[in-house]
Amino acid sequence: MLSDNKLALLKELVKQANREEIIWTKGYLAGYLEGSLGSTNVAPEQIAVPLQIKPLIVYGTETGNAKKVGTQLLANLKKEKTQAKLTDVFQLDINKLKKEKVALFIVSTQGDGEFPINANEFYETLKASTIDLSDLQFAVFGLGDSSYPLFCQAGILLDEVLEQKGAKRLLPLVKADVDYADLVTRWETDIKKALSGNTAVSAQPVVVQSNTSTSHKKNFTGIISHKVVLNDIGSNKETYHIEITPNEEIVYEPGDAIGFYPKNDENELRKIAAILGDESQYELFKTKNVRGLSKKNLEKLVEAFQVEITEEKADLLHILEHYKIAQINPEAVADLLHQIAPRLYSIASDVNAHDGEVHIAVTLSTFYVSEIQRTGHCSQFLANLPKGAEIDFYIHKNNNFRLPSHDTDIIMIGPGTGVAPFRSFLAHRDEAAAEGRNWLFFGEQHFVLDFYYQTEIQEWIASGILTRFDAAFSRDQERKIYVQDRIKEKAKEFNEWLENGASIYVCGQKSPMSKDVENTILDVISSERKVNLEEAKAILEQMELDGKYQKDVY
């Protein structure tokens, strides 16, 4: 018999509970009672009860990985009848957060510890606001690459600012490295526990970090065994095909990338140190990033040099010369700069078909500062390396860009150096005698000047490895033609391949290429299947969840 106080509490609990919760409680108590009596019988099966909380899932993404994690989380929560919502952070008004009870953020970090373009405005607005989020519980899942100095910095900053505005942590911040699949699964489990009221889940500001951060970053050395410019004389571009023979056996898969830490030019460093007042201290800058400084780095220099820097991106030497910076302590300036971050390039070879070598395609990056042409740090570093030079590198595993089974058809869309991983794909499928069909879309400016890997592509067509090939050379006619135009022209066949189970792969520039290509694919699905755009988006999102639509864009 219950005491009066306990009976009153029980009646109040029952009064507030709905039917499903009462049924669940009945099963729980029955199982608990049997367990307490020492019974070895299995407890009654628990009935899945929909959670009353409707979490808001928010993603901030540059390449699509955060959106993929968010979409997967939404699907899994809905399977358990939890009515979650998913939104792009770009579309989220901070005032709407006040109406939410739980918000789950998935955000990637770009370049110099920066937010994705679609998330930056949200962060800055939230940071500058006086909003009170004391009724909100939140969790942040940060995506990043521990090779970079400011690992998961966007996730860290978002986690901090939400707490500053009064929001309460539902879960600790997660800092996930490139191999993030296992952490996502663990995070989903912890979310479900936390939302169901399981107090065993820590809500303290403890950082949960991937423990696989070094598994994919073993350093190797190799020799530049072959190097050739892929463009012909007269091209607007300077694209190199570089072959590296490792000094030891290495293992990589189609879809992986190779990482380099570019080295600074000693003459440039001596000039920097001399302007600052002591050329002998040039080695302070040996491992520092002095090229293509980001806006954040330039803001630090504005404060240190007491000048107004108008450039969005510039080299340190240019800033010192252009703004006539007076002598200043070189060590103080070096402390303001980040360590050199690695640059990644898609591997363009197959470890078996190319005898263990690693091949890459690199276009010399150019940009203008104060009407003076500058070049990218790593692309210039690689362009300067002569045949026979030794180079350090590591293999960057990319499990989100993998070939399907040998009997599955694939569609590859890779304009420019985006064709590099597809050279690897085709070489691998050729070597493995894969049965699946292969369709490649390639694009560049001019047929005569910029047709990368033309001879190999023609050989693959002749041998039947390449089932279909469509090229778009944008400047060979008055109206510019791009790969998405070729997809549109082949809409019927493109859709038939998809309906027969083909997987899509896209590699190259994120903006505008990958966005334009995705919009075209959506138009093709919509028109060929007679569905509206929202239904087409749902189809493509499901393909992405199933691993049948993969992107490696930058």
Side-chain angles (χ1 to χ4, degrees), residues 305-497:
F305 297 157
Q306 295 296 297
V307 295
E308 184 179 351
I309 298 174
T310 58
E311 289 84 353
E312 292 283 319
K313 181 180 180 182
D315 299 342
L316 177 59
L317 182 58
H318 165 80
I319 296 297
L320 297 176
E321 292 175 338
H322 184 73
Y323 292 95
K324 297 179 171 54
I325 303 300
Q327 291 187 3
I328 189 171
N329 184 351
E331 189 171 351
V333 176
D335 286 343
L336 296 175
L337 303 173
H338 295 310
Q339 294 292 113
I340 293 173
R343 271 61 163 186
L344 298 175
Y345 294 88
S346 298
I347 293 177
S349 53
D350 176 71
V351 71
N352 294 317
H354 296 102
D355 300 322
E357 295 178 339
V358 187
H359 300 177
I360 56 173
V362 182
T363 295
L364 182 63
S365 173
T366 59
F367 58 96
Y368 285 86
V369 176
S370 300
E371 299 183 351
I372 300 173
Q373 182 172 293
R374 306 287 182 177
T375 56
H377 191 187
C378 195
S379 61
Q380 184 67 72
F381 166 71
L382 293 170
N384 289 345
L385 286 175
K387 183 178 177 180
E390 188 170 79
I391 188 169
D392 299 324
F393 65 93
Y394 68 89
I395 298 299
H396 176 94
K397 306 301 290 183
N398 187 1
N399 292 324
N400 296 305
F401 203 69
R402 287 285 183 250
L403 278 167
S405 60
H406 288 334
D407 59 351
T408 300
D409 299 339
I410 62 173
I411 299 173
M412 301 161 284
I413 305 163
T417 54
V419 74
F422 303 137
R423 180 177 184 261
S424 172
F425 279 22
L426 290 165
H428 179 83
R429 292 198 124 194
D430 188 8
E431 183 79 6
E435 298 173 1
R437 298 179 299 170
N438 307 297
W439 188 351
L440 174 64
F441 289 87
F442 170 74
E444 249 300 351
Q445 291 188 355
H446 299 284
F447 171 82
V448 174
L449 306 177
D450 308 306
F451 194 165
Y452 308 154
Y453 304 117
Q454 179 181 0
T455 301
E456 287 176 307
I457 287 173
Q458 289 173 331
E459 289 174 352
W460 280 322
I461 293 171
S463 67
I465 297 301
L466 196 49
T467 313
R468 297 197 64 155
F469 175 70
D470 285 278
F473 295 99
S474 61
R475 312 295 172 85
D476 279 349
Q477 59 283 312
E478 186 175 346
R479 182 180 73 87
K480 292 181 181 178
I481 297 175
Y482 300 105
V483 287
Q484 58 266 28
D485 297 307
R486 297 303 189 207
I487 294 171
K488 201 174 297 183
E489 291 171 0
K490 302 297 193 312
K492 185 176 184 295
E493 297 92 331
F494 192 96
N495 180 61
E496 286 174 353
W497 276 53

Side-chain angles (χ1 to χ4, degrees), residues 1 14 32 48 56 59-60 65 91 141 147 159 166 184 217 276 304 332 359 368 380 414 421 438 496 535 549:
M1 190 70 178
V14 172
Y32 180 82
L56 175 67
Y59 64 86
N65 287 336
Q91 300 173 328
F141 191 95
S147 297
D159 185 81
V184 170
K217 296 183 179 66
L276 294 174
H359 300 177
Y368 285 86
Q380 184 67 72
N438 307 297
E496 286 174 353
E535 291 172 308
Y549 175 40

Side-chain angles (χ1 to χ4, degrees), residues 245-259:
T245 301
N247 291 330
E248 61 182 285
E249 185 177 351
I250 62 170
V251 177
Y252 62 86
E253 298 176 69
D256 286 343
I258 185 171

